[in-house]
Amino acid sequence: MNLVLHVWRQKNAQDKGKMVRYDAKGVSPDMSFLEMLDVVNEELIAKGEDPIAFDHDCREGICGMCGVVINGLAHGGHVGTTTCQLHMRHFSDGDEIYIEPWRAKAFPVIKDLVVDRGAFDRIIQAGGYISVATGNAPDGNAIPVPKPSSDLAMDAAACIGCGACVAACPNGAAALFTSAKISHLGLLPQGQAERFRRVVDMVQQMDTEGFGNCTNHRECEAACPKQISTDFIARMNRDYIRGSLSRRPDKVGGGDG
Amino acid sequence: MFQVLDFYKTANGKKVVMAITGLIGFGFVLIHMLGNLQVFVGQEKLDDYAKLLKSSMPILWGARLTLIGAVVLHVVASWQLAGQSEDARPVPYQKKLQKRKSTFASHSMRWTGPLLLMFIIYHLLHFTIGWKTLNLPFIEGAVYSNVVNGFKLWPVAAFYILCMLALSQHLYHGIWSLFQTLGVNHPRYNGLIRAVAALGTAVVVIGNISIPVAILAGYIK
């Protein structure tokens, strides 16, 4: 099939950028979306033009590197699907496809469709550490983890940090990402020691990075390729309130308790 | 040190303020609507109720200041939060984001809010203060006749009904949203929370709209 692409082209972070039209000819329905872009890029390279830059790594939907907004839908809008797992059979001959990078102040465009998601790393860093003893592997079941907690923690830990939640949010908020990271530790016994300090620090960092704020549109949940629930946002809010109410002043010397 | 100001500085803290003040607002509109329904009983009943509310100055002003404080905090926090979200996406999408789970109610909060603020000011000028410039029939203390004579004018009744429809959208998203913000979310109760939001909205809005409709229809004279 033949498609018309409108792709965001931007030379570097300083460039203003614009949409550029490309014809994608002879696209197979078996190609993934990224393979379709590979084919377009092969042609651009053959013509001596600059290929379209986009992020990708594993191409099996687990690394969180890829992600573009396709016709106003993050990752193209199929349930539980990253851009690399989106196949061209979902499109028909003659379709016009608009391809744009994630749009958020906290995700500056580096080039074309590639954005810098360092803000996510800094939110995780703000959470600090969890207390896990190093050395030999601990005995199995030395720390009992209730099955419902481990299931819920795993649901949150499914987050691959792709940033689709921010891209799809009308407010450009990072609440789903941050709440998933907070919850997957906060639900487990190993994460209890720093649980309430972590939530306060990560929530503060979310604002510092320049994300918007959650007004419960729930567009993030619809866009999330790992189908993470906005229930985790409520969990974050709950822990944030508890953490703020119970926070004690930092002691310099310590040990006087 | 983690204090109140640090809490308010974060978007999450502001949202908690929005939720609590919103809950106060919801409680008020519910009680206010139930009180207003006494217009269906008769003139004496409603006017006596109005007198009862004004019988104790400390309670009256305590309630008034609480409500004014709640409105001010709600408006200021929403203004700051909306500004933060506006700034969060400086370069817009060329192709607009498609809506999947968001609703008309969730998207319209940004304008139902300011509309309701204008409505509150107009409503106070109309029935509480009796501002002369509005040129509406108003006699101090004669609540029943003020209501009936006011709503006999169809543009006034129409504006009230329009604002109540805006309130329905604001309440429906707001009530559910405030539970989410306060972290009240559990698979066992999420259905109940949705039901409370829908039922609470329906009761308040239908109750309020029934008054101008009954007056325009000539049921209340």
Side-chain angles (χ1 to χ4, degrees):
Chain A
M1 57 188 171
N2 298 321
L3 302 165
V4 178
L5 309 182
H6 300 270
V7 184
W8 183 261
R9 299 304 308 265
Q10 183 174 336
K11 281 194 186 70
N12 51 48
Q14 286 73 42
D15 185 26
K16 259 195 82 182
K18 59 175 193 297
M19 298 298 277
V20 178
R21 189 192 144 111
Y22 297 97
D23 289 308
K25 294 202 178 89
V27 174
S28 153
D30 299 326
M31 286 176 177
S32 76
F33 199 84
L34 297 186
E35 283 164 347
M36 182 273 294
L37 288 177
D38 289 337
V39 171
V40 172
N41 275 345
E42 289 294 332
E43 270 181 44
L44 289 177
I45 292 165
K47 279 195 279 182
E49 288 178 35
D50 196 20
I52 301 160
F54 59 89
D55 251 336
H56 62 105
D57 193 10
C58 73
R59 298 209 178 195
E60 52 187 16
I62 55 169
C63 77
M65 277 306 280
C66 70
V68 291
V69 175
I70 301 161
N71 292 334
L73 291 165
H75 288 305
H78 288 271
V79 176
T81 306
T82 53
T83 305
C84 62
Q85 292 291 296
L86 174 67
H87 285 79
M88 297 314 293
R89 59 176 172 269
H90 296 297
F91 297 89
S92 4
D93 190 45
D95 275 1
E96 285 202 43
I97 305 175
Y98 289 78
I99 309 170
E100 298 178 66
W102 294 164
R103 291 287 185 205
K105 187 170 80 178
F107 287 168
V109 173
I110 298 169
K111 188 176 194 234
D112 298 339
L113 304 172
V114 181
V115 299
D116 177 0
R117 282 167 292 190
F120 271 8
D121 299 330
R122 289 187 294 275
I123 289 175
I124 292 178
Q125 281 166 15
Y129 51 88
I130 59 159
S131 302
V132 177
T134 55
N136 288 337
D139 287 343
N141 296 330
I143 303 170
V145 182
K147 180 73 165 67
S149 299
S150 100
D151 285 349
L152 211 50
M154 287 306 281
D155 287 348
C159 171
I160 53 176
C162 66
C165 46
V166 174
C169 177
N171 302 315
L176 191 65
F177 166 80
T178 310
S179 70
K181 296 302 170 199
I182 287 169
S183 299
H184 94 248
L185 296 174
L187 278 158
L188 296 172
Q190 293 89 334
Q192 293 309 304
E194 299 86 6
R195 177 174 167 193
F196 293 107
R197 167 170 295 266
R198 186 165 54 238
V199 64
V200 172
D201 290 344
M202 288 173 79
V203 163
Q204 284 179 336
Q205 190 64 30
M206 191 164 67
D207 285 345
T208 309
E209 294 297 339
F211 289 106
N213 51 74
C214 175
T215 58
N216 302 313
H217 287 297
R218 294 170 71 230
E219 287 294 342
C220 52
E221 185 179 279
C224 178
K226 298 298 151 188
Q227 297 172 269
I228 291 170
S229 164
T230 46
D231 292 355
F232 289 116
I233 297 179
R235 180 175 289 279
M236 167 176 74
N237 295 340
R238 188 158 70 229
D239 276 8
Y240 179 71
I241 294 169
R242 274 183 71 181
S244 302
L245 289 174
S246 62
R247 188 145 184 168
R248 288 168 187 273
D250 294 327
K251 282 181 186 157
V252 179
D256 55 349
Chain B
M1 274 292 271
F2 197 81
Q3 292 175 328
V4 176
L5 280 179
D6 291 315
F7 181 73
Y8 186 80
K9 253 188 225 159
T10 63
N12 277 50
K14 291 189 189 77
K15 281 176 55 62
V16 170
V17 170
M18 295 282 298
I20 293 170
T21 54
L23 191 60
I24 293 172
F26 171 58
F28 171 74
V29 291
L30 185 65
I31 294 165
H32 188 39
M33 182 279 299
L34 291 172
N36 288 346
L37 286 185
Q38 294 172 88
V39 75
F40 285 98
V41 181
Q43 181 160 12
E44 206 174 325
K45 183 85 182 159
L46 188 69
D47 287 356
D48 283 350
Y49 175 65
K51 251 182 233 142
L52 172 77
L53 289 182
K54 289 190 173 178
S55 54
S56 161
M57 279 297 126
I59 294 177
L60 177 69
W61 278 100
R64 281 180 172 174
L65 290 176
T66 306
L67 291 169
I68 292 168
V71 168
V72 168
L73 284 173
H74 200 74
V75 169
V76 170
S78 71
W79 183 270
Q80 292 172 324
L81 288 168
Q84 185 192 355
S85 290
E86 283 296 310
D87 294 343
R89 183 166 291 140
V91 183
Y93 286 108
Q94 305 287 312
K95 189 93 177 167
K96 264 183 85 176
L97 284 177
Q98 292 187 40
K99 292 173 190 151
R100 288 201 281 174
K101 289 206 170 179
S102 54
T103 58
F104 177 76
S106 74
H107 281 278
S108 61
M109 295 301 272
R110 290 265 182 94
W111 61 263
T112 53
L115 178 67
L116 289 169
L117 178 64
M118 275 167 45
F119 171 75
I120 292 168
I121 294 168
Y122 173 83
H123 185 53
L124 289 175
L125 291 173
H126 180 188
F127 283 129
T128 309
I129 297 165
W131 197 39
K132 291 223 163 46
T133 315
L134 287 177
N135 208 14
L136 291 169
F138 180 82
I139 304 160
E140 178 86 43
V143 176
Y144 184 89
S145 75
N146 289 344
V147 171
V148 173
N149 292 329
F151 285 155
K152 268 184 189 161
L153 306 166
W154 73 263
V156 175
F159 179 64
Y160 271 80
I161 293 171
L162 176 80
C163 289
M164 285 308 109
L165 293 176
L167 180 65
S168 73
Q169 297 306 301
H170 203 80
L171 279 183
Y172 180 63
H173 184 69
I175 295 171
W176 173 75
S177 207
L178 78 87
F179 282 102
Q180 184 79 356
T181 299
L182 295 176
V184 183
N185 177 308
H186 191 283
R188 272 174 73 183
Y189 311 115
N190 287 349
L192 185 68
I193 292 170
R194 282 282 185 196
V196 165
L199 193 70
T201 302
V203 166
V204 169
V205 171
I206 293 171
N208 276 339
I209 288 180
S210 72
I211 297 168
V213 167
I215 291 167
L216 281 181
Y219 179 73
I220 298 175
K221 285 174 199 139

